[in-house]
Amino acid sequence: MRRASWYIVAMIAACVATSSARGEDNAALVAAAKAEGKLTFYTSFLGAPFHLAAIKSFEKKYGVTVELLDVRASELRERLRTEQAAGRFIGDVIQNGAATMIRSQRDGELQPHGGIVNARLLSPQQPATDVLVPSYILAYGILVNTTLVKPADEPKSWKDLLDARWKGKIQSDDMRALGGGQVMFSVLQDALGRDYHEKLAAQQPIFSRDVGNDERRVARGEFPMRIPQLFSNTTVLKGLPVKLVIPEEGVPYIRFDMALLRNAPHPNAARLFINHYLSDEVQLIYANAGLIPVVDKLNGPIKEEMRAMTGAKLLGTTNVDTQDAMLALAKEIYK
């Protein structure tokens, strides 16, 4: 009986990739995932409550347990390299910034997913490949203290940061290291050029990497503004004298992709998990957390205060092939 059960599960798993690739009913995938019973999920967005909400919705719907590893991107990259070099294949699904995911793919750490039914729901601007599947977008604007910055003086454009009144008063994530500051640097370099950055450097921005505390310092009035401000982080500052400004040119962003890790021990559960992340249920969790969904249309309510965020114009993101050059240029301009 046990051998027969094993054979049935194997046959189900064998047909999953084909049925998913054709976009057919994924009942076979669900059955194979339930037979595996669990998966391990690696992600680099530390302490994000929306991850827990998405995971719980998956576990409740399918009865498949998710083990979460939530660490910094650099730690995750090193852990993945070490595990796979040692032939220890523990993780099933990884979610990370798109540029880092491309590096992982080039290093042979990922494998083709075999077809994701809900990929048909993706926006044409955010397509999937046979390996990488978009899951959500982190976007960055400008955080201002509403007591120190009057409505008429709020920066409407990234160029407004060059106004002499803000010299020595702009708090910034460090553009010379990987993170939000470097994303902003790269995007504004592409959009506005080196001359813009040289003028912004002359404004003597105060660099820091203590994001949570830096946001609170703006709220306390120690600085009139902070750049770049992660949309989703603004939600925890509700009730404080701060406001998110979305510049008219658009906003820098990082798209977070998902993929199956090479030799994933629970590939069907992993594929079903990725598919679930493109459902209305999870994309609405993202939208109501201040993140930008990657699907073309959403069926469900979005909080009024989140609508401007989810509808923000995207200015650009980082390019894996120019990332090192951009870091070097930032160090050259911002002494």
Side-chain angles (χ1 to χ4, degrees):
M1 182 67 178
R2 291 178 62 187
R3 291 189 64 184
S5 297
W6 176 88
Y7 177 76
I8 291 170
V9 169
M11 290 299 292
I12 290 172
C15 71
V16 163
T18 302
S19 63
S20 296
R22 290 198 302 264
E24 297 174 355
D25 180 30
N26 65 347
L29 177 60
V30 173
K34 287 184 175 181
E36 291 173 348
K38 66 177 183 178
L39 66 94
T40 300
F41 177 36
Y42 290 174
T43 184
S44 64
F45 200 121
L46 283 172
F50 51 80
H51 280 321
L52 299 181
I55 288 170
K56 287 179 181 178
S57 74
F58 175 79
E59 291 179 327
K60 181 179 179 181
K61 185 172 183 177
Y62 297 110
V64 177
T65 302
V66 179
E67 296 178 0
L68 174 65
L69 174 68
D70 189 3
V71 296
R72 294 184 183 280
S74 56
E75 293 178 51
L76 184 55
R77 190 91 173 90
E78 181 58 23
R79 175 170 179 144
L80 189 58
R81 186 193 66 78
T82 302
E83 284 183 1
Q84 295 209 352
R88 297 177 66 245
F89 301 103
I90 300 171
D92 294 296
V93 180
I94 186 169
Q95 183 186 59
N96 215 332
T100 302
M101 292 289 276
I102 290 173
R103 289 181 185 273
S104 289
Q105 182 178 355
R106 290 175 179 176
D107 290 345
E109 296 167 347
L110 311 178
Q111 68 176 5
H113 48 66
I116 302 297
V117 174
N118 282 342
R120 70 186 189 278
L121 305 176
L122 286 165
S123 164
Q125 288 73 45
Q126 308 298 337
T129 69
D130 64 336
V131 174
L132 303 177
V133 182
S135 58
Y136 65 84
I137 290 170
L138 293 175
Y140 296 90
I142 301 170
L143 185 70
V144 299
N145 179 294
T146 54
T147 301
L148 300 178
V149 182
K150 298 177 181 178
D153 297 331
E154 289 177 3
K156 305 297 189 295
S157 160
W158 292 104
K159 296 176 182 178
D160 291 341
L161 299 177
L162 305 181
D163 191 306
R165 78 181 77 187
W166 307 128
K167 186 171 184 177
K169 298 179 180 179
I170 301 172
Q171 186 190 63
S172 175
D173 190 53
D174 197 338
M175 302 181 216
R176 302 164 298 185
L178 292 175
Q182 172 56 206
V183 174
M184 177 185 67
F185 175 87
S186 298
V187 172
L188 296 183
Q189 169 66 22
D190 288 340
L192 303 176
R194 177 171 180 147
D195 181 64
Y196 172 82
H197 274 301
E198 290 179 341
K199 290 177 180 177
L200 184 57
Q203 291 287 73
Q204 299 174 359
I206 294 87
F207 284 158
S208 173
R209 303 211 71 198
D210 189 0
V211 177
N213 186 52
D214 292 342
E215 293 167 344
R216 296 282 172 171
R217 293 180 72 184
V218 173
R220 290 194 297 267
E222 295 180 37
F223 295 93
M225 66 181 66
R226 179 181 185 276
I227 56 172
Q229 176 61 29
L230 194 60
F231 283 14
S232 56
N233 280 17
T234 310
T235 61
V236 301
L237 302 174
K238 191 173 182 178
L240 298 176
V242 293
K243 176 182 178 181
L244 175 71
V245 173
I246 300 175
E248 59 190 19
E249 299 98 335
V251 295
Y253 71 94
I254 301 175
R255 193 183 77 191
F256 270 60
D257 288 354
M258 302 179 80
L260 267 70
L261 288 162
R262 180 165 62 92
N263 292 335
H266 309 100
N268 296 297
R271 189 177 295 115
L272 184 63
F273 188 66
I274 294 174
N275 191 65
H276 184 64
Y277 265 59
L278 298 182
S279 67
D280 280 336
E281 184 177 354
V282 174
Q283 291 293 301
L284 282 167
I285 289 173
Y286 286 148
N288 286 311
L291 303 161
I292 298 178
V294 290
V295 296
D296 198 23
K297 295 179 181 178
L298 272 179
N299 295 311
I302 299 175
K303 297 175 184 176
E304 187 61 36
E305 63 268 28
M306 301 298 176
R307 291 187 180 278
M309 298 184 195
T310 59
K313 176 184 176 182
L314 300 178
L315 182 59
T317 189
T318 52
N319 183 329
V320 64
D321 295 318
T322 62
Q323 201 168 54
D324 291 342
M326 286 292 184
L327 279 166
L329 183 59
K331 291 173 183 176
E332 179 183 335
I333 295 174
Y334 293 90
K335 305 294 186 183

